[in-house]
Amino acid sequence: MLNELLKRPVIPVIVIEDARDAEPLMEALLKGGMDVIEITCRTAAAAEAIARIKKTFPEVLLGAGTVVTPEQARMCVDAGVAFGLAPGLNPATVEYFKKHDTLFVPGIATPSEIEQGLSLGCKLLKFFPAGALGGLDMLKNLSAPYASLGVKFCPTGGVNLGNMNDYLSLPTVSAIGGSWLATKQQIADKDWGSITRQVQEALAKASELKA
Ligand code: 3PG
């Protein structure tokens, strides 16, 4: 699963208030070429939204974000998500996902947390909140000592169309995540066209780096 996730440079971070929006939202993302999604456990609708996407779109790489309690970890594993993420590094959550053979991407913000993540076997770490922590310059300096260990980072928090390729240009960055790709308001407004367009723009932008 790690290899599958490493192939996706852009991950939409979703906050969903009404689980009935899950299917049209996923359709809008797929229409834009996006086959990965992170549903955050920040709303009461998250569990049902995850279940709906799992059922209707088995081909999608379905992730759960903001997994910060044991109950959320259990819900995500039971729902059969492909991967989980969190803003921080909680060893109990990392172990829980490991025990259930599910990829987990903990959040880090310091060298000690990177080392803790590595010692727990995590090869992909979320750098959060990227912008507020110092953005590109911070991540460049923070990740340099660990580059030879093959660890990869996924910066999120303050990432947008304008700065995403700065992050993706770093050899230690495999993907970026952001909520700008499908905002809470756009989901509430059922503005699926804008979401498809934003996803297309972001994927086109990411592919500029390969050209
Ligand atoms: C996350 O959970 O990864 C972040 O909240 C996303 O940050 P953003 O809203 O600045 O994109």
Side-chain angles (χ1 to χ4, degrees), residues 10-204:
V10 181
I11 302 173
V13 177
I14 305 297
V15 180
I16 191 161
E17 300 285 355
D18 185 342
R20 289 169 299 183
D21 289 332
E23 292 94 338
L25 166 66
M26 195 63 240
E27 268 160 28
L29 294 174
L30 284 166
K31 205 166 157 197
M34 183 69 69
D35 67 347
V36 58
I37 185 169
E38 171 188 339
I39 303 276
T40 62
C41 296
R42 293 189 190 181
T43 60
E48 193 188 333
I50 288 169
R52 281 174 175 246
I53 291 175
K54 175 83 183 170
K55 180 161 178 263
T56 312
F57 306 94
E59 74 281 18
V60 162
L61 206 55
L62 171 60
T66 325
V67 183
V68 296
T69 68
E71 293 73 28
Q72 288 166 343
R74 197 173 320 115
M75 179 279 283
C76 296
V77 165
D78 288 353
V81 298
F83 63 98
L85 310 96
L89 195 164
N90 180 335
T93 313
V94 174
E95 294 298 348
Y96 185 81
F97 272 73
K98 203 191 286 177
K99 197 170 120 199
H100 293 89
D101 288 323
T102 306
L103 175 66
F104 190 69
V105 183
I108 59 88
T110 65
S112 298
E113 289 162 5
I114 294 175
E115 291 181 26
Q116 196 184 4
L118 286 172
S119 72
L120 290 166
C122 303
K123 290 279 183 212
L124 178 62
L125 302 169
K126 169 170 159 139
F127 176 57
F128 176 83
L133 286 169
L136 185 68
D137 189 39
M138 170 68 170
L139 182 55
K140 208 187 271 178
N141 284 281
L142 186 65
S143 62
Y146 306 100
S148 67
L149 299 176
V151 60
K152 296 285 180 194
F153 296 89
C154 173
T156 72
V159 181
N160 55 49
L161 189 68
N163 63 14
M164 57 174 272
N165 275 8
D166 297 335
Y167 286 109
L168 285 172
S169 302
L170 285 185
T172 48
V173 170
S174 64
I176 54 93
S179 64
W180 95 92
L181 294 151
T183 67
K184 232 163 105 173
Q185 193 60 52
Q186 286 170 333
I187 297 169
D189 292 346
K190 306 194 192 309
D191 185 2
W192 312 125
S194 295
I195 292 171
T196 296
R197 185 174 38 76
Q198 285 155 193
V199 161
Q200 283 166 337
E201 277 170 359
L203 290 176

